[in-house]
């Protein structure tokens, strides 16, 4: 079903930062497609119940066939895409000696999936007369590094490089591409950290607290709705932890 209402697709939209972004984008007038995987289905349904206009998109981004099925579903349910937010991610925390090839390949598969989805969804942007916004959620640790997270930091740095390169490839097409690099945000990922690790993190943040997912979502909304002369940029939202 197509309409004149702008459509935002949010990968990883059922939990954490992705869930906050789904809600804020819906608040700001988008019809939101919430991508999720099996293990967070209940959470994704809860997010859908809290927004005015949206639909669910079950797909594992590590599987190209599932991405293709999701694209067909987007065409059927929305018929257009105005914003793509690549927010899906995982973090496998092991030092270099403990990390296996299987761990590394799983982490790498997420950024591969984000690249492939973006590549395929660009055709739906083209239907909108070459206009739209692509926003990638990266991380402060892609710039600062972090012990025990080498593949994760590599993935996030790759997303920022993807942002800058895709911006140049799409020059002249009125498709803006940007990254938002959160610092340490109050999500299940950080809530499960040992207390001594949390204290060390808090001591390193000039503002003295973790960020809220909604504070990331507000920046995403700015890029999706209002920023018209920003592209190829990484916006750091980290309480002063890293200056970029």
């Amino acid at each position: 079903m197509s309409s004149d209402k702008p459509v935002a697709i949010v990968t990883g939209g059922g939990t954490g930062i992705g869930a906050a972004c789904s809600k804020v984008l819906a608040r700001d007038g988008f019809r939101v497609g919430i991508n999720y995987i099996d293990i967070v289905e209940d959470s994704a349904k809860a997010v859908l119940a809290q927004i005015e206009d949206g639909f669910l998109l079950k797909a594992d981004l590590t599987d190209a066939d599932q991405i293709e099925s999701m694209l067909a579903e987007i065409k059927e349910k929305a018929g257009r895409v105005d914003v793509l937010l690549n927010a899906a991610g995982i973090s496998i925390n092991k030092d270099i000696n403990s990390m296996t090839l299987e761990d590394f390949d799983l982490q790498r598969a997420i950024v591969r999936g984000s690249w492939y989805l973006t590549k395929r969804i660009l055709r739906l942007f083209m239907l909108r007369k070459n206009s739209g916004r692509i926003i990638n959620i990266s991380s402060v640790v892609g710039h600062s590094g972090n012990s025990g997270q080498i593949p994760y930091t590599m993935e996030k740095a790759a997303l920022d490089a993807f942002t800058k390169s895709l911006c140049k490839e799409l020059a002249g097409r009125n498709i803006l591409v940007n990254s938002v690099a959160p610092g340490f945000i109050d999500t299940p990922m950080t809530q499960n950290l040992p207390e001594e690790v949390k204290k060390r993190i808090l001591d390193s943040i000039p503002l003295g607290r973790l960020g809220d997912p909604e504070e990331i979502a507000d920046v995403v909304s700015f890029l999706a709705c209002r920023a018209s002369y920003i592209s190829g940029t990484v916006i750091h939202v980290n309480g002063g932890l890293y200056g970029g």
Side-chain angles (χ1 to χ4, degrees):
M1 179 187 301
S2 61
S3 73
D4 290 333
K5 193 170 187 179
V7 173
I9 304 300
V10 181
T11 71
T15 59
I17 290 172
C21 291
S22 294
K23 295 173 190 176
V24 168
L25 289 171
R27 179 202 69 191
D28 290 345
F30 287 90
R31 186 167 187 235
V32 180
I34 302 168
N35 162 252
Y36 70 98
I37 56 176
D38 274 333
I39 60 174
V40 296
E41 183 168 1
D42 289 344
S43 178
K45 288 180 177 177
V47 173
L48 181 64
Q50 296 174 60
I51 68 177
E52 180 180 339
D53 192 359
F55 53 97
L56 295 177
L57 295 165
K58 181 179 175 181
D60 184 340
L61 298 187
T62 67
D63 186 326
D65 289 338
Q66 291 191 42
I67 290 175
E68 291 294 339
S69 296
M70 182 172 74
L71 286 164
E73 196 171 356
I74 292 169
K75 291 177 184 177
E76 178 186 349
K77 291 182 174 179
R80 63 185 282 177
V81 176
D82 300 87
V83 172
L84 171 62
L85 175 62
N86 288 311
I90 60 171
S91 177
I92 301 173
N93 300 320
K94 296 180 181 179
D95 64 34
I96 192 167
N97 291 314
S98 302
M99 182 74 63
T100 66
L101 280 173
E102 290 77 15
D103 292 330
F104 186 93
D105 288 342
L106 177 58
Q107 187 76 68
R108 182 177 61 179
I110 297 296
V111 73
R112 174 182 178 269
S114 296
W115 166 81
Y116 187 66
L117 174 61
T118 303
K119 166 186 169 68
R120 296 289 287 114
I121 217 166
L122 275 172
R123 296 184 182 183
L124 291 177
F125 279 115
M126 304 306 179
L127 295 176
R128 303 301 303 166
K129 298 181 180 179
N130 285 342
S131 65
R133 313 286 173 94
I134 297 167
I135 305 165
N136 299 311
I137 299 295
S138 58
S139 173
V140 62
V141 298
H143 298 258
S144 65
N146 203 31
S147 176
Q149 287 190 314
I150 289 175
Y152 180 74
T153 61
M154 291 170 68
E155 172 204 338
K156 293 305 187 180
L159 278 175
D160 287 336
F162 174 48
T163 290
K164 295 175 183 180
S165 295
L166 187 59
C167 164
K168 295 181 183 298
E169 286 196 15
L170 297 178
R173 297 187 183 181
N174 198 31
I175 299 174
L176 309 183
V177 190
N178 291 289
S179 286
V180 177
F184 290 96
I185 307 302
D186 190 9
T187 66
M189 188 182 297
T190 53
Q191 290 164 6
N192 292 330
L193 291 171
E195 288 303 318
E196 63 273 16
V197 175
K198 289 182 185 178
K199 183 180 185 306
R200 188 165 66 248
I201 289 170
L202 287 171
D203 288 344
S204 69
I205 301 172
L207 289 189
R209 65 173 177 86
L210 300 180
D212 292 324
E214 291 75 17
E215 291 175 304
I216 306 302
D218 284 340
V219 177
V220 167
S221 179
F222 167 71
L223 291 172
C225 301
R226 293 173 289 282
S228 58
Y229 197 59
I230 301 175
S231 196
T233 294
V234 181
I235 298 180
H236 291 268
V237 188
N238 56 42
L241 178 64
Y242 177 81

